[in-house]
Amino acid sequence: RASLGYGVVEYVKHSVASDVLATMEKEIFVMEGSSKPVRVEPYACSNKRWSTKSPADDLLKELNPRIVSHTETAFAHYLKARELQYEHRSEEQTLRMFQRQERRKTEEEQQRRLHDEEEKLVRLKEMLAHA
């Protein structure tokens, strides 16, 4: 079964949930074997009831989720991975910008050529009309 990309954790006490959120603002939470951090944020649940057993429970047991301290190697690897992701996004944006510029130049050149051909056609019609 494929991951939904999110999960919900319920706490009985609001104070415990607040403590967890405060801790997660200071630390990075990662799954073992992944360079992507787990983002933790408050979630306002509707009347929908969440089951106590999630399909991800078995996966979580395998991956050993944990908080990574900034002194650990995994923290440095995560920061480097995040830096590379930002660089990649920046390069993609630059590439898209150049592609748009080239597309505009090509369209302008096509419009210019079309205009030149239309002018040639008009002159040719005039020459034929006078002949």
Side-chain angles (χ1 to χ4, degrees):
R1 188 169 159 166
S3 169
L4 297 175
Y6 65 89
V8 176
V9 178
E10 288 185 74
Y11 292 93
V12 176
K13 293 184 179 182
H14 186 270
S15 61
V16 174
S18 296
D19 290 345
V20 168
L21 288 171
T23 301
M24 297 315 294
E25 287 177 4
K26 299 173 192 162
E27 303 291 339
I28 296 175
F29 187 61
V30 295
M31 303 299 276
E32 193 171 287
S34 173
S35 64
K36 292 184 178 183
V38 176
R39 187 177 70 218
V40 179
E41 57 188 33
Y43 178 76
C45 185
S46 63
N47 291 334
K48 193 180 216 181
R49 298 290 299 171
W50 297 96
S51 68
T52 55
K53 175 88 169 125
S54 164
D57 287 345
D58 296 330
L59 180 64
L60 289 174
K61 288 176 190 169
E62 291 175 19
L63 296 177
N64 299 322
R66 63 191 176 92
I67 293 178
V68 178
S69 169
H70 58 80
T71 59
E72 293 183 54
T73 307
F75 188 86
H77 288 290
Y78 162 72
L79 290 179
K80 184 63 178 174
R82 185 172 64 178
E83 178 185 330
L84 292 172
Q85 287 172 342
Y86 287 145
E87 287 176 11
H88 180 71
R89 284 186 194 133
S90 176
E91 289 172 358
E92 282 181 329
Q93 290 172 346
T94 302
L95 179 61
R96 281 194 293 272
M97 179 189 70
F98 285 134
Q99 288 172 335
R100 282 191 301 269
Q101 289 174 348
E102 286 300 314
R103 193 176 311 120
R104 273 194 295 269
K105 287 179 185 176
T106 302
E107 289 171 355
E108 289 170 0
E109 178 66 21
Q110 289 173 341
Q111 287 293 332
R112 188 187 60 74
R113 286 182 180 181
L114 178 62
H115 180 72
D116 291 348
E117 291 298 317
E118 287 173 343
E119 284 182 351
K120 287 179 187 176
L121 186 59
V122 167
R123 284 194 301 267
L124 185 60
K125 284 181 180 179
E126 288 175 356
M127 287 173 43
L128 289 174
H130 291 299

